[in-house]
């Protein structure tokens, strides 16, 4: 009896152990934009697009209606990554608990081939997978929006494009950040375009200048009237193909006509008391996020201090292992037998890191795991919730800033350079330093592996957190950190998003850290464990929505121009 009493006391003491204080003042970006609402709202990369999406919610539309409007509004107000010339993923949790994943990722053109980015000596050609027409996959965004609307929309499709058309035709004032970006890429724009484009003017762009895009306004008006065929057939399709021919591209009219958005089964997993709903292949996001969460789940990170060396060490060690799996096992599951069950098998995930290593494990000592056999036979983000209880997480991209830099003449939009997300050659990293293999080799019609991780976390039968991020390979770790910042470290939503971020992707064997995040003491402790640290600029841009006791909290990442409405 006495023993039982002491045992219970001990358990109580451990459970009540106060969380250790962080070994440093937690670095957070100061100007986080939040808004507390009672029904629904939008958080995305641009305040005008957030306002456009929310105007649909206010008029009685649902989260999908608002998502369609936001996607098209971002194509106007956020030319860096918002798009109709690219693709993306949408994760949906409907109020009745139904979950869906929509894949509108770009597709390799029919003329694509495995070695298309290699020279005669087998070396990867510099830049052709990133600049100009040959970098583009067949765009999926318009098909995606039409598919989402067909299944869930309640407002007529044409009406959903009206805010974007207005923004494109009348223009909107650009921010300092956008002005700087447009100035930075001016030479690329001039190099890869034959005719004047809306994004180039003689004098440098300044904050407050109006960006008008009349050609894009006409294109959007046409899509609004004609739906999917307005983009994939007829004059816009012809304009895309003409642009491809002029810029070394290979997308054909048939490629466009055959493009389809695909409904897929989301990655569903459990982590602590939460249900995780995220994107399956051709994104690596959902599988990799789930592997990360499951790896750290058993190590009581909630007893570690936020941004302490021990917590960072644990997360980084998990990241190395799951990114090694990503490089080998993940690709478009319609073309490659992605071992989803094995990758998501709890026993397998646990075996990959049964204990927290004392010292940093060198990347060279890690490789993709030997998966258990399949016994039974997986950039710009916006989050939206509505008053009906529906939640939508969408990440969409043209890959690099302004995609391939090629604007479709007469149609006014940037084409993507998503082909760079394929593995051009095993062992040669892409622009994000990511390695790939057979699973992500180029094949006609195949979709390139992505890191985009639109994610919904549900709890007690309703959505609880809606989030995602841009940032290439750092997307998954940005989403991972935001979730654990709340669930393990007890940070409020705004702090969880604003908190400094770090990232490890197995290769290179380095922890990338936002400047100023780790104090010299934390860095020293990590170096002593054998980690290499490299400070860099912003990592990710998480636009998230949190359900709180006070209401629904919309949170825009403070790092850029993101906004809430
Ligand atoms: O799909 C992917 O993983 C990449 N094309 C995303 C690119 C990206 O996030 C760039 N933005 N920062």
């Amino acid at each position: 009896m006495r023993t039982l009493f002491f045992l219970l006391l001990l358990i109580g003491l451990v459970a009540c152990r106060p969380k250790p204080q962080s070994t440093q003042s937690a670095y957070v970006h100061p100007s986080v934009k939040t808004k507390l609402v009672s029904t629904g709202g939008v958080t995305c990369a641009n305040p005008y697009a957030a306002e456009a999406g929310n105007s649909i919610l206010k008029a009685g539309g649902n989260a999908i209606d608002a998502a369609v409007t936001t996607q098209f509004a971002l194509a106007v107000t956020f030319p860096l990554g918002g798009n109709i010339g690219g693709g993306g993923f949408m994760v949906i949790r409907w109020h009745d608990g139904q979950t869906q994943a929509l894949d509108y990722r770009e597709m390799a053109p029919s003329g694509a081939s495995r070695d298309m980015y290699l020279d005669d000596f087998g070396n990867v050609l510099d830049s052709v997978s990133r600049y100009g027409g040959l970098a583009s996959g067949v765009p999926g965004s318009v098909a995606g929006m039409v598919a989402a609307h067909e299944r869930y929309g309640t407002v007529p499709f044409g009406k959903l494009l009206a805010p974007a058309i207005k923004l494109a035709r009348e223009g909107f004032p650009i921010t300092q950040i956008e002005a700087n970006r447009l100035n930075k890429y001016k030479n690329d724009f001039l190099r890869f375009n034959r005719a004047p484009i809306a994004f180039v003017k003689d004098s440098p762009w300044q904050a407050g200048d109006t960006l008008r895009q009349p050609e894009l306004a006409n294109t959007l008006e046409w899509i609004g009237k004609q739906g999917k065929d307005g983009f994939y057939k007829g004059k816009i399709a012809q304009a895309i193909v003409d642009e491809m021919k002029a810029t070394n591209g290979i997308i054909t009219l048939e490629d466009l006509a055959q493009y389809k958005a695909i409904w897929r089964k989301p990655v569903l997993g459990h982590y602590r008391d939460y249900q995780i709903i995220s994107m399956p292949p051709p994104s690596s996001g959902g599988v990799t996020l789930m592997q990360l969460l499951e790896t750290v789940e058993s190590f009581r990170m909630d007893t570690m201090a936020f941004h302490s060396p021990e917590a960072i060490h644990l997360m980084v060690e998990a990241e190395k292992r799951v990114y090694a799996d990503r490089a080998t096992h993940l690709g478009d599951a319609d073309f490659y037998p992605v071992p989803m069950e094995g990758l998501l098998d709890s026993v397998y995930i646990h075996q990959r890191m049964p204990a927290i290593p004392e010292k940093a494990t060198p990347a060279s000592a890690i490789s993709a795991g030997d998966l258990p056999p399949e016994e039974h036979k997986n950039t710009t983000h916006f989050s939206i919730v509505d008053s009906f209880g529906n939640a939508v997480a969408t990440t969409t991209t043209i890959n690099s800033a302004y995609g391939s830099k090629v604007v479709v003449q007469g149609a006014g939009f940037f084409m993507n350079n998503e082909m760079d997300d394929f593995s051009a050659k095993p062992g040669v990293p892409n622009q994000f330093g990511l390695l790939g293999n057979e699973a992500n080799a180029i094949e006609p019609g195949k979709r390139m592996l992505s890191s985009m991780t639109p994610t919904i976390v549900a709890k007690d039968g309703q959505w609880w957190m809606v989030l995602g991020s841009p940032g290439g390979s750092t997307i998954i770790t940005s989403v991972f950190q935001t979730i654990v910042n709340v669930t393990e470290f007890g940070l409020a939503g705004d702090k969880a998003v604003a908190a400094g971020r770090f990232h490890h992707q197995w290769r290179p064997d380095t922890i990338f850290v936002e400047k100023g995040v780790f104090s010299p003491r934390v860095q020293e402790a990590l170096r002593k464990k054998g980690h290499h640290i490299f400070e860099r600029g912003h990592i990710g841009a998480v636009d998230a929505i949190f359900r709180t006791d006070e209401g629904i909290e919309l949170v825009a990442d403070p790092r850029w121009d993101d906004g809430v409405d």
Side-chain angles (χ1 to χ4, degrees):
M1 193 62 197
R2 259 167 81 102
T3 321
L4 183 65
F5 172 76
F6 281 116
L7 195 64
L8 287 174
L9 186 70
L10 188 68
I11 291 170
L13 283 175
V14 170
C16 299
R17 183 157 70 107
K19 205 172 169 58
Q21 289 303 299
S22 175
T23 48
Q24 56 148 4
S25 55
Y27 170 83
V28 290
H29 292 265
S31 56
V32 65
K33 285 156 269 180
T34 67
K35 188 174 174 185
L36 200 61
V37 296
S38 54
T39 51
V42 180
T43 165
C44 72
N46 177 276
Y48 292 101
E51 193 183 342
N54 194 28
S55 72
I56 300 297
L57 293 179
K58 283 184 187 151
N62 65 25
I64 294 288
D65 295 318
V68 172
T69 294
T70 307
Q71 168 91 33
F72 285 114
L74 284 168
V76 178
T77 59
F78 190 66
L80 184 89
N83 68 83
I84 55 173
F89 301 122
M90 183 181 280
V91 170
I92 300 166
R93 185 185 189 279
W94 217 236
H95 58 87
D96 57 5
Q98 182 198 146
T99 57
Q100 284 287 356
L102 179 59
D103 162 9
Y104 56 98
R105 180 72 162 164
E106 297 92 326
M107 189 178 87
S110 52
S113 58
R114 188 187 180 96
D115 297 338
M116 65 188 278
Y117 298 117
L118 303 186
D119 66 14
D120 293 345
F121 303 99
N123 299 318
V124 176
L125 288 161
D126 189 33
S127 84
V128 275
S129 64
R130 285 181 286 124
Y131 295 91
L134 199 59
S136 293
V138 183
S141 291
V142 174
M145 293 308 101
V146 171
H149 180 259
E150 273 172 6
R151 188 170 281 203
Y152 291 103
T154 57
V155 176
F157 188 70
K159 276 200 176 162
L160 296 177
L161 279 83
I165 295 166
K166 189 164 186 280
L167 283 161
R169 196 167 304 289
E170 294 176 8
F172 62 97
I174 62 168
T175 62
Q176 188 65 59
I177 290 177
E178 187 63 56
N180 294 347
R181 278 195 297 241
L182 289 172
N183 293 334
K184 178 176 166 190
Y185 288 101
K186 180 174 179 176
N187 287 341
D188 282 346
F189 296 159
L190 291 172
R191 184 165 159 221
F192 290 102
N193 289 283
R194 303 163 287 154
I197 60 170
F199 309 97
V200 173
K201 64 186 186 74
D202 291 341
S203 56
W205 289 97
Q206 289 178 356
D209 283 351
T210 302
L211 176 61
R212 287 191 190 82
Q213 301 167 73
E215 286 185 345
L216 180 58
N218 294 341
T219 300
L220 292 172
E221 221 158 56
W222 185 247
I223 294 168
K225 288 191 186 119
Q226 306 289 322
K228 187 179 172 214
D229 283 354
F231 186 85
Y232 292 93
K233 293 179 179 166
K235 63 181 184 183
I236 307 293
Q238 191 59 55
I240 294 172
V241 170
D242 290 347
E243 195 61 45
M244 291 296 98
K245 282 188 180 143
T247 57
N248 194 30
I250 53 173
I251 296 175
T252 63
L253 285 174
E254 292 72 38
D255 291 335
L256 288 160
Q258 276 168 20
Y259 185 87
K260 282 185 184 60
I262 301 173
W263 290 101
R264 299 194 185 274
K265 210 165 131 283
V267 169
L268 297 176
H270 283 279
Y271 156 69
R272 293 177 52 143
D273 294 339
Y274 312 100
Q275 186 196 21
I276 307 292
I277 307 151
S278 195
M279 197 64 212
S283 183
S284 60
V287 170
T288 308
L289 174 67
M290 214 43 244
Q291 287 191 318
L292 283 170
L293 290 170
E294 279 220 31
T295 308
V296 299
E297 190 177 15
S298 44
F299 296 117
R300 292 301 311 267
M301 205 158 57
D302 58 339
T303 63
M304 301 174 188
F306 173 64
H307 276 184
S308 61
E310 56 175 342
I312 295 160
H313 174 68
L314 165 58
M315 292 164 79
V316 160
E317 288 299 309
E319 288 168 8
K320 289 180 197 172
R321 286 157 178 80
V322 304
Y323 273 82
D325 266 359
R326 181 195 188 279
T328 297
H329 294 305
L330 285 164
D332 182 349
D334 291 345
F335 284 76
Y336 180 86
V338 176
M340 289 289 280
E341 276 188 30
L343 288 166
L344 293 171
D345 183 284
S346 299
V347 176
Y348 166 73
I349 293 171
H350 185 68
Q351 277 169 356
R352 293 279 284 157
M353 196 167 96
I356 304 175
E358 186 59 32
K359 292 273 180 193
T361 318
S364 54
I366 297 174
S367 55
D370 290 328
L371 295 169
E374 294 224 7
E375 285 168 358
H376 315 285
K377 351 224 122 21
N378 162 47
T379 343
T380 181
H381 176 83
F382 54 92
S383 298
I384 301 182
V385 299
D386 64 22
S387 59
F388 311 108
N390 306 312
V392 175
T394 302
T395 314
T396 177
T397 186
I398 41 178
N399 199 15
S400 303
Y402 308 103
S404 66
K405 321 295 188 254
V406 173
V407 173
V408 176
Q409 209 180 318
F413 59 90
F414 283 106
M415 285 296 286
N416 68 82
N417 64 346
E418 220 73 62
M419 292 296 285
D420 191 65
D421 274 351
F422 276 119
S423 172
K425 185 181 175 182
V428 178
N430 74 358
Q431 65 170 317
F432 301 111
L434 287 168
L435 295 173
N437 232 303
E438 186 60 33
N440 192 30
I442 305 172
E443 285 180 63
K446 188 173 174 181
R447 298 178 188 211
M448 53 298 280
L449 184 62
S450 172
S451 301
M452 292 189 286
T453 314
T455 297
I456 298 171
V457 180
K459 191 183 160 195
D460 301 332
Q462 49 188 1
W463 71 261
W464 188 69
M465 199 190 283
V466 187
L467 75 167
S469 177
S473 56
T474 68
I475 293 174
I476 305 165
T477 46
S478 297
V479 171
F480 170 54
Q481 280 169 83
T482 308
I483 294 175
V484 299
N485 286 351
V486 177
T487 57
E488 302 284 348
F489 300 112
L491 266 57
D494 57 342
K495 297 277 189 301
V497 167
R501 299 195 183 112
F502 57 91
H503 167 80
H504 200 301
Q505 60 182 47
W506 174 51
R507 302 279 192 178
D509 194 355
T510 299
I511 310 178
F512 295 93
V513 191
E514 285 184 314
K515 273 201 186 70
V517 170
F518 294 165
S519 67
R521 228 176 101 198
V522 171
Q523 296 205 21
E524 192 44 39
L526 287 165
R527 286 208 177 90
K528 271 199 181 135
K529 279 191 175 293
H531 292 289
H532 309 284
I533 298 172
F534 183 84
E535 286 199 325
R536 54 162 277 183
H538 297 332
I539 293 179
V542 173
D543 287 331
I545 305 182
F546 301 88
R547 194 186 287 281
T548 71
D549 291 342
E550 288 74 41
I552 293 167
E553 191 182 19
L554 312 174
V555 180
D557 199 304
R559 289 163 178 78
W560 305 97
D561 291 330
D562 304 43
V564 298
D565 199 21

